[in-house]
Amino acid sequence: MRLELGHVLIKDVQFGNETKIENGVLTVNKEELISLIKEDEHLTSVDVDIAKPGESVRITPVKDVVEPRVKVEGPGGVFPGILSKVDVVGSGKTNVLKGCVVMTTGKIVGFQEGIVDMTGPGADFTPFSKTINLVLKCEPVEGLKQHDHERAVRFAGFKAAAYLAETAKSLTPDTVEVYEVDTFLKGIEKYPNLPKVGYVQMLQTQGLLHDTYVYGVDAKQIVPTIMYPTEIMDGAIVSGNCVSACDKNTTYHQMNNPVIHDLLAQHGKTLNFVGVIITNENVYLADKERSSNWTAKLAEYLGLDGVIVSQEGFGNPDTDLIMNTKKIEAKGIDTVIITDEYAGRDGASQSLADADPSANAVVTGGNANEIIVLPKMDKVIGTLDYVDIIAGGFDGSLAADGTITVEIQAITGATNEVGFNKMSARGF
């Protein structure tokens, strides 16, 4: 599978009479975009705003973040099974609007949404303080069920991203990155002396608005399976969950998964990146046993020497993380796990809800319970109505002077930007 990602570098975003890209400037017809999003009868009002790095702007509650991408050549389209036909993606050419994202906000769906500050101490914790953010504020019709509300706002982000990306379909990219992974047997023949490494990507699927979609299918309904890493770059996996902001792999994180990018950078050099095993994080014990059994079976079947396991969420999914680790290690395959920790505000509590001696190589994203004080911003996109109730907030988080005291778990993307740079902990 070979995919060329063409980066169209966006230096600025502004509103204008025509949606287009010229000299690195993305101009957006605001009224046209709003009309497109309001085609969904579930939304009663839509507004669009722009937030740029360094501005005194706070965006909350952040629901999802999407990077605009468009298929230029090859089968399928971006967001297969959602906006595009259900075709296998991940090959050909895809253009990316690099440096800008679509962000969705509005009336809260669940209590676990997040905050993005474009400047100040909070900006240091999120990658989205460094992107130019086109923010959709979407309000649902009265009485809309929570799942329909979440779906409407999720689709609004995808539609807006596709609308913007279409402007880059015929452009010549500023830079091009090529990603290629061989079939299993060809890879073994090609790199006989390199360790075979796989990536187990755990997807948040606990339900109750904690959902992830694969080719449009709720991942609770799947059993562990194998994917080419380039499929994920074309939007084969998207976020639909309202999990704690720092644990939420937004759609942007899925499309730019740093573990995948780092493994591909080493593919054919220090290791043979065999592929991605996706698995879910269900609630019932039987489902956890089934998925972890299958995950370990697939790792063994592929003859892997090493596996990286990443987790989305915390608490209940800690059990899935340790189950996967124990069973893969029992097959004689070295594992490294990537997780964040909830060790209490003083850092003295047990950081994971489950543990095992076999989980002895860990890349940590930090303690999500750590407290941070966010200063008042001059402008708020969205609403401050939910700051006291989002995960990481508490009664009194929002002070009368406009400052916000929260745990860093309330910051979108705060602890899930981590690659595999510590993989050498196990020497593979």
Side-chain angles (χ1 to χ4, degrees):
M1 189 80 83
R2 185 179 191 274
L3 177 66
E4 293 184 17
L5 279 188
H7 291 177
V8 178
L9 305 181
I10 303 300
K11 303 171 186 175
D12 193 18
V13 179
Q14 60 190 26
F15 292 125
N17 295 324
E18 181 185 359
T19 300
K20 61 182 180 180
I21 297 174
E22 286 185 352
N23 301 318
V25 177
L26 171 63
T27 303
V28 181
N29 184 319
K30 182 176 179 178
E31 291 71 27
E32 188 174 83
L33 176 57
I34 289 175
S35 295
L36 171 68
I37 303 306
K38 286 190 71 175
E39 288 177 359
D40 189 335
E41 60 185 12
H42 297 103
L43 298 176
T44 184
S45 70
V46 177
D47 197 10
V48 184
D49 210 333
I50 298 170
K52 301 178 182 180
E55 293 182 337
S56 181
V57 175
R58 172 165 295 141
I59 310 165
T60 186
V62 176
K63 299 177 181 299
D64 195 13
V65 185
V66 187
E67 185 173 61
R69 298 190 175 196
V70 62
K71 205 73 194 162
V72 175
E73 184 179 298
V78 175
F79 307 128
I82 297 173
L83 296 188
S84 305
K85 292 182 179 180
V86 184
D87 200 350
V88 176
V89 295
S91 62
K93 297 180 180 180
T94 298
N95 279 355
V96 185
L97 271 59
K98 213 67 185 174
C100 74
V101 299
V102 172
M103 191 174 287
T104 51
T105 187
K107 183 179 179 181
I108 202 163
V109 184
F111 61 88
Q112 300 191 108
E113 304 288 8
I115 300 170
V116 169
D117 281 357
M118 301 305 293
T119 190
D124 295 335
F125 285 87
T126 174
F128 305 122
S129 64
K130 304 165 188 67
T131 55
I132 304 172
N133 304 322
L134 190 79
V135 186
L136 302 180
K137 183 178 180 182
C138 302
E139 298 299 334
V141 297
E142 192 68 29
L144 189 64
K145 298 291 186 182
Q146 285 183 312
H147 283 85
D148 292 330
H149 177 184
E150 190 282 321
R151 183 183 184 278
V153 178
R154 171 163 40 99
F155 270 63
F158 299 150
K159 290 175 183 176
Y163 167 81
L164 298 178
E166 196 66 27
T167 61
K169 188 168 186 177
S170 60
L171 295 183
T172 300
D174 295 287
T175 61
V176 176
E177 293 184 355
V178 179
Y179 301 96
E180 188 168 9
V181 177
D182 300 298
T183 60
F184 177 69
L185 289 177
K186 187 176 180 180
I188 298 300
E189 295 172 357
K190 198 171 181 179
Y191 308 113
N193 299 318
L194 293 180
K196 299 180 292 298
V197 176
Y199 171 38
V200 172
Q201 183 176 358
M202 294 170 52
L203 306 175
Q204 176 59 254
T205 57
Q206 289 177 278
L208 298 174
L209 301 173
H210 290 18
D211 303 307
T212 304
Y213 296 86
V214 180
Y215 282 91
V217 175
D218 189 334
K220 287 192 298 293
Q221 309 301 322
I222 70 170
V223 292
T225 189
I226 301 168
M227 296 183 73
Y228 282 102
T230 52
E231 291 179 75
I232 300 169
M233 297 179 184
D234 267 347
I237 300 177
V238 301
S239 173
N241 72 67
C242 305
V243 72
S244 181
C246 75
D247 290 289
K248 178 190 295 190
N249 287 326
T250 66
T251 299
Y252 175 95
H253 285 95
Q254 300 289 359
M255 302 172 89
N256 293 277
N257 188 310
V259 180
I260 288 175
H261 279 265
D262 287 352
L263 284 168
L264 284 171
Q266 294 299 314
H267 179 60
K269 300 174 183 177
T270 62
L271 54 84
N272 176 8
F273 183 19
V274 174
V276 181
I277 300 171
I278 60 169
T279 185
N280 44 29
E281 301 171 352
N282 287 321
V283 175
Y284 296 107
L285 181 59
D287 294 327
K288 293 176 181 292
E289 293 285 9
R290 180 189 303 108
S291 290
S292 56
N293 286 342
W294 278 54
T295 298
K297 176 189 71 174
L298 290 173
E300 179 184 44
Y301 181 74
L302 292 173
L304 298 179
D305 299 303
V307 167
I308 299 173
V309 186
S310 69
Q311 174 187 15
E312 184 175 14
F314 68 99
N316 187 295
D318 292 351
T319 304
D320 303 82
L321 176 69
I322 298 303
M323 279 186 173
N324 285 321
T325 302
K326 286 171 59 177
K327 293 176 182 180
I328 293 170
E329 285 271 350
K331 302 287 187 182
I333 304 168
D334 287 337
T335 64
V336 172
I337 64 176
I338 300 175
T339 181
D340 58 2
E341 304 175 60
Y342 284 77
R345 294 178 184 178
D346 60 358
S349 300
Q350 180 174 322
S351 58
L352 295 176
D354 199 0
D356 189 85
S358 62
N360 57 5
V362 182
V363 177
T364 177
N367 179 20
N369 293 134
E370 183 180 339
I371 289 288
I372 184 172
V373 178
L374 306 175
K376 179 183 178 181
M377 295 286 139
D378 294 337
K379 179 180 178 180
V380 174
I381 301 176
T383 177
L384 296 174
D385 291 350
Y386 309 109
V387 168
D388 286 0
I389 63 172
I390 59 175
F394 48 87
D395 188 24
S397 281
L398 178 61
D401 63 0
T403 61
I404 300 175
T405 302
V406 289
E407 297 180 356
I408 62 171
Q409 64 169 302
I411 300 176
T412 299
T415 58
N416 50 14
E417 265 210 319
V418 65
F420 84 116
N421 56 326
K422 295 186 180 180
M423 217 173 71
S424 58
R426 289 299 293 268
F428 62 84

